[in-house]
Amino acid sequence: MRMRFRRTAVVAAAFATAAVVAVGPAQAKPDAPWYNCNDGWVCLYPEGQSPPVSPSVSWYTYGAHNLSNQFNYHWILNNQTGGARAKLCTGYNGGGTCYDDMGPGEGWWTNFTPVNSVVLYP
């Protein structure tokens, strides 16, 4: 079983904040990280950590990123910007069967036992 969620609650809060800022003086602040996953990153959280609190592994660069000792269910969040995506692959270096094309702003609770690499791409 895989659960998905989108970052819509955060977007709604941002619009509400923008409305308040438009009415009164305020200093601009950078967005808070999404579950401690910074903008532009893909973050993997420890096994069974639900809700996600603190990532155990994070990636910023495009390409294949190999995993080791990641089993059972984990949250993975795609907090990349500009439409960048991520996919999960059964082989190392992005090989084997790749599935679960994750769009920006998506998070999944999924079984990582068959997953051996995460691929980030534009």
Side-chain angles (χ1 to χ4, degrees):
M1 180 178 157
R2 180 181 68 221
M3 294 189 311
R4 294 182 181 205
F5 72 93
R6 289 190 180 266
R7 200 174 169 178
T8 54
V10 174
V11 172
F15 283 124
T17 302
V20 171
V21 170
V23 199
Q27 291 182 327
K29 294 181 182 177
D31 289 339
W34 182 36
Y35 290 102
N36 294 310
C37 185
N38 292 321
D39 286 345
W41 292 75
V42 171
C43 299
L44 179 65
Y45 295 79
E47 176 185 345
Q49 188 182 88
S50 185
V53 176
S54 181
S56 55
V57 184
S58 302
W59 305 281
Y60 185 77
T61 57
Y62 291 144
H65 303 277
N66 293 328
L67 301 175
S68 61
N69 298 317
Q70 302 292 335
F71 305 103
N72 301 314
Y73 282 81
H74 298 252
W75 275 107
I76 184 167
L77 305 182
N78 180 2
N79 202 22
Q80 296 181 94
T81 57
R85 304 184 74 77
K87 59 185 174 181
L88 310 178
C89 300
T90 59
Y92 289 103
N93 300 315
T97 302
C98 295
Y99 58 96
D100 291 341
D101 186 28
M102 182 186 304
E106 288 186 351
W108 296 339
W109 173 253
T110 193
N111 185 359
F112 269 79
T113 301
V115 178
N116 286 301
S117 61
V118 176
V119 179
L120 281 58
Y121 61 98

